């Protein structure tokens, strides 16, 4: 498995951020929300030509140069288009579907043609349909009075043991206190997972000591290719699959020789996500890198799982928007409590990118179902974050307090540490060579360890090439932000950063006949191992909505141990890493919080997590970032910070939101009209605010001002979820050089006052030039609870100028 506007200073003028409501007809694949191994190895191809169009090998060319001409992407005669109509107008799904057929009939001429054209009717959680049409026919339907948004079906790609001990939720609870105990480990919660399927036979999905399936559950387990209802149990209570949208847009349809045409998992991603979010206890793990007797479990180990397979083992893992929407539609109907959706788009593909997940997610959230999704694996680039809509809980990934150092010993007894997962026998003192000339590898590498500097304009050298040419090991010296590649089993691939690698190289070069010895890796766990935001974890701010801080929260997502599906291929112990693995960690915690606080809205849960998060690791050391510069992490790296499970259960105050706030967000973009708002909510009297209010006043648990040139005042409202009689006072850590003033000087809550508004006035202070972002915080404290939000400020005295 090797899948591995200028805005005016008051922000009262609206600006274009995500084009939620734009109609852009685009095609292409979006960036990954998951990556294998150390979070950032090779991803699925994003080239706009087919694999068979690759340039011919040099050996296949004639003497005369033949120019390379890429083959255009396959375009079906009848592409799939998706039509979003808003909230359902009928409670009966059959009537909703019939209305969709009538809309199609208006263009295609007959109901028979409409039925043949339709791929999906979305008739449970919201109203819409996917249909195979000629582009001209779709263009006609775009102007239909009931159509709010039209988009062409796009291809998306998918984005434990130590995790829970690290977060203070021990694998073997010995205390009768804490969220895990108080919620009976998530008993009764139903967590929906939209992913690549599930391997039900894994011990992580055993249903021992489980109670009955909740009576409110409306879902089912389908019978299909090598999967039947008997594969479900009291743990895995639902399993469905959706492939029609993707198949309709592929040149060759997916078949049973390349995939399981059922909820069964082919590439392992969905199994890993499912076990992380709610896997049952699996004892006595003995895999390399783990202490003997380790226990593996999910975040809510007694919660039920419902798998919605909408991603397929094509080019490393591919999903279509049409299929993902149908998964959302049915999950909302079936009765899930939380949705874990480890799928990501691209931060830069098109303005309407957020439609891919945001529309169905908004309907789920409006029905009380939190939607947890990855920030994406576009890091460590600035403004690479995806899933930026404020109703989605967007997750960044960190490392654990676990490291796998490999000792390299020189003949002069000097030692150097690299990182690897090598568990084979010790390699005795052996000659080392370093070369950038790959033309004669078979002559110079046999029986030697190759040292390679993977930086600058050099030809990549992969472990399999070294092994094929007789080398017995690879020391890969690279920038920490560079991608690592998969290593053959029992072949030592030792990774070193430039500083250590250069020192090792210097020692080898300045001493005659110096050889090295390579030892199997050791595992270090605990306080001495620094926690970092993973180098692949996408960073804020959003390029479309820079005033909405994303990501929201961070959680471990690198080298999490999870079950592997049976395969004939060699695989690493930690197959997938990145924000898609951090996502189910948070989703499992969200399920526990929802049991503990059944009346909290998805926004309240998100606020509780964000305002109580840690800026340090569990041992008190400031979080840094992995990505080449080793800086201290900030809000654009981790949002509120690293999740603090126990603190989140008692946040004191929350920044709550509902559909009215989300309408405020949509209308503030100047891209949503009264008609669209009315259709979205199903309320014909619902309209945008009379004046286009500032997006800066959206009640998110953060303050981000990307264009500050004069004084700006923003408003927030806090809701008391702690002791009835409470008094909170502000503690301000102003970003360097800025002036920040909070009013009033205290917030008083009592039986008659559960909500209080406050304002924050911000000015550029001493700054007189366009700046980068500066970071600070605002904390409301009653002496027990500290409700903290990030404050991120950037001046723009010269508009639209960033250099």
């Amino acid at each position: 498995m090797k899948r591995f506007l200028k805005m005016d200073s008051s922000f009262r003028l609206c600006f274009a951020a995500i084009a939620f409501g734009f109609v852009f007809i685009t095609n292409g694949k979006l960036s990954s929300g998951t990556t294998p191994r150390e979070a950032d190895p090779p991803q699925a191809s994003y080239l706009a030509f087919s694999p068979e169009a690759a340039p011919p090998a040099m050996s296949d060319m004639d003497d005369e140069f033949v120019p390379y001409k890429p083959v255009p992407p396959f375009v079906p005669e009848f592409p799939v288009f998706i039509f979003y109509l808003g909230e359902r107008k009928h409670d009966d799904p059959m009537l909703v579907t019939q209305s969709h057929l009538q809309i199609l009939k208006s263009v295609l001429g007959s109901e028979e043609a409409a039925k043949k054209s339709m791929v999906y009717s979305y008739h449970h959680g919201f109203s819409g349909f996917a249909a195979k049409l000629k582009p001209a026919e779709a263009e006609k339907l775009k102007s239909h009075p009931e159509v709010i948004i039209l988009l062409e079906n796009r291809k998306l790609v998918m984005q434990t043991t130590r995790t829970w001990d690290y977060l203070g939720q021990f694998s073997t609870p010995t205390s009768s206190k804490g969220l895990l105990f108080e919620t009976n480990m998530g008993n009764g919660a139903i967590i929906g997972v939209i992913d690549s399927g599930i391997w039900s036979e894994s011990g992580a999905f055993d249903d021992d000591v489980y109670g009955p399936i909740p009576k409110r559950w409306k879902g089912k387990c389908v019978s299909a290719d090598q999967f039947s209802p008997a594969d479900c149990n009291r743990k895995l209570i639902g399993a469905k699959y959706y492939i029609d949208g993707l198949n309709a847009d592929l040149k060759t349809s997916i078949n049973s020789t390349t995939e399981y045409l059922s909820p069964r998992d082919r590439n392992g991603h969905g199994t890993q996500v499912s076990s992380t979010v709610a896997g049952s206890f699996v004892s006595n793990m003995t895999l390399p890198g783990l202490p003997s007797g380790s226990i593996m479990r999910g975040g809510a180990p007694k919660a039920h799982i419902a798998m919605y397979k909408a991603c397929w083992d094509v080019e490393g893992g591919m999903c279509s928007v049409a299929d993902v929407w149908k998964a959302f539609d049915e999950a909302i109907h079936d009765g899930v409590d939380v949705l874990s959706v480890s799928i990501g788009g691209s931060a830069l593909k098109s303005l309407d990118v957020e439609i891919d997940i945001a529309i169905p997610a908004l309907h789920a959230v409006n029905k009380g179902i939190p939607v947890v999704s990855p920030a994406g694996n576009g890091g460590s680039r600035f403004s690479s974050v995806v899933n930026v809509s404020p109703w989605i809980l967007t997750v960044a990934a960190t490392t654990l307090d676990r490291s796998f150092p490999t000792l390299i010993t020189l003949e002069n007894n000097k030692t150097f540490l690299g990182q690897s997962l090598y568990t084979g026998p010790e390699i005795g003192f052996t000659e080392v060579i370093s070369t950038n000339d790959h033309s004669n590898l078979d002559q110079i590498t046999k029986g030697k360890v190759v040292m390679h500097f993977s930086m600058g304009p050099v030809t990549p050298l992969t472990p399999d090439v070294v092994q094929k040419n007789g080398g017995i090991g690879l020391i890969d010296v690279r920038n920490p932000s560079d991608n690592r590649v998969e290593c053959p089993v029992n072949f030592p691939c030792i990774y070193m950063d430039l500083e250590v690698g250069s020192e090792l190289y210097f020692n080898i070069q300045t001493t005659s006949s110096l050889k090295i010895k390579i030892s199997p890796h050791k595992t270090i766990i605990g306080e001495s191992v620094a926690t970092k935001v993973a180098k692949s974890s996408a960073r804020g701010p959003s390029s479309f909505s820079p005033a909405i801080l994303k990501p929201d929260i961070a959680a471990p997502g690198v080298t999490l141990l999870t079950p592997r599906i049976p395969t004939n291929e060699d695989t690493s112990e930690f197959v997938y890493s990145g924000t898609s693995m951090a996502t189910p960690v948070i989703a499992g915690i969200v399920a526990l919080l929802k049991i503990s606080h059944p009346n909290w809205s998805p926004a309240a849960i998100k606020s509780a997590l964000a305002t109580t998060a840690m800026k340090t690791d569990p041992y008190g050391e400031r979080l840094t970032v992995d990505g080449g510069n080793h800086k201290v992490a900030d809000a654009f790296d981790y949002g509120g910070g690293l999740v603090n499970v126990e603190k989140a259960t008692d946040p004191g105050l929350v920044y709550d939101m509902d559909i009215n706030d989300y309408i405020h967000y949509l209308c503030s973009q100047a891209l949503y009209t009264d008609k669209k708002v009315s259709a979205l909510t199903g309320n014909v009297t619902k309209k945008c605010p009379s004046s286009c209010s500032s997006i800066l006043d959206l009640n998110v648990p953060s303050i981000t001002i990307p264009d500050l040139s004069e004084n700006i005042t923003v408003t927030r409202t806090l809701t008391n979820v702690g002791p009835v009689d409470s008094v909170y006072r502000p503690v301000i850590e102003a970003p360097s050089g800025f002036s920040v003033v909070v009013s009033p000087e205290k917030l008083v809550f009592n039986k008659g006052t559960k909500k209080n508004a406050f304002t924050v006035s911000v000015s550029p202070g001493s700054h007189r030039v366009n700046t980068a972002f500066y970071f600070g915080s605002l904390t409301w404290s009653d002496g027990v609870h500290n409700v903290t939000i990030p404050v991120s400020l950037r001046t723009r005295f010269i508009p639209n100028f960033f250099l």
Side-chain angles (χ1 to χ4, degrees), residues 472-662:
I472 60 173
L474 173 64
I475 300 173
D476 197 0
V477 183
R478 54 180 54 234
N479 187 303
S481 64
D482 291 341
N483 295 342
R484 296 186 183 183
V485 292
E486 188 70 1
C487 188
V489 172
N490 287 331
F491 184 81
C493 306
I494 297 95
Y495 297 98
M496 284 187 171
D497 67 22
L498 182 59
E499 183 177 346
V500 177
S502 296
E503 186 178 351
L504 172 61
Y505 180 80
F506 176 81
N507 273 267
I508 293 174
Q509 291 296 313
T510 56
T511 306
S512 60
S513 302
L514 195 63
K515 298 180 179 181
I516 66 168
K517 178 173 65 177
I518 298 176
S519 303
H521 85 266
K522 304 294 183 182
T523 302
I524 299 177
I525 292 175
E527 186 173 358
S528 61
V529 181
T531 298
K532 302 176 182 178
V533 176
K535 61 179 175 287
S536 66
S537 186
R539 311 298 208 259
S542 162
S543 57
F544 300 128
S545 283
I548 305 298
L549 179 66
K550 289 289 177 170
D552 295 302
I553 194 72
V558 177
T559 62
L560 311 188
L561 183 75
T562 56
R564 295 177 296 170
I565 64 173
T567 174
N568 292 327
E569 300 178 40
D570 292 329
T571 61
S572 66
E573 302 303 337
F574 310 103
V575 183
Y576 292 103
S577 288
T579 56
S580 67
M581 289 303 118
T583 293
V585 172
I586 294 296
I589 295 169
V590 168
L592 300 180
L593 287 173
K594 201 168 183 192
I595 292 174
S596 180
H597 301 282
N599 297 323
W600 281 8
S601 68
I605 291 174
K606 181 169 78 169
S607 174
L609 289 167
T611 60
T612 59
M614 301 180 289
K615 311 303 183 292
T616 70
D617 67 15
Y619 310 104
E621 193 70 32
R622 283 296 300 265
L623 295 177
T624 58
V625 297
D626 196 358
N629 50 7
H630 300 293
K631 72 177 182 69
V632 173
D634 58 46
F636 290 154
D637 301 313
Y638 55 35
L642 177 65
V643 64
N644 188 334
V645 182
E646 295 305 327
K647 288 287 186 182
T649 65
D650 182 24
L653 306 173
V654 295
Y655 294 81
D656 206 357
M657 292 192 289
D658 59 20
I659 190 63
N660 294 310
D661 297 277
Y662 303 137

Side-chain angles (χ1 to χ4, degrees), residues 708-709 737-738 763-771 795-798:
L708 181 63
S709 60
F738 291 86
S763 72
S766 61
H767 294 290
R768 295 293 178 267
V769 298
N770 287 9
T771 68
T795 61
R796 278 293 173 267
F797 293 96
I798 304 175

Side-chain angles (χ1 to χ4, degrees), residues 38-84:
E38 176 66 30
D40 232 4
Q43 304 179 12
S45 171
Y46 304 128
L47 302 179
F49 51 87
S50 58
E52 59 266 29
M58 291 297 294
S59 59
D60 297 331
M61 292 186 179
D62 296 329
D63 293 337
E64 182 180 359
F65 173 73
V66 179
Y68 166 57
K69 295 181 179 180
V71 176
F74 169 71
V75 178
E77 181 181 1
F78 296 93
V80 175
F81 294 89
I82 302 169
F83 299 85
Y84 173 63

Side-chain angles (χ1 to χ4, degrees), residues 732-766:
I732 305 166
E733 182 185 334
S736 179
F738 291 86
S739 172
V740 179
V741 178
V742 179
S743 180
E745 295 181 353
K746 65 179 178 179
L747 298 178
V748 179
F749 297 91
N750 51 45
K751 189 174 182 180
T753 304
K754 191 174 182 180
K755 294 178 181 286
N756 268 310
F758 65 92
T759 62
V760 180
S761 296
V762 182
S763 72
S766 61

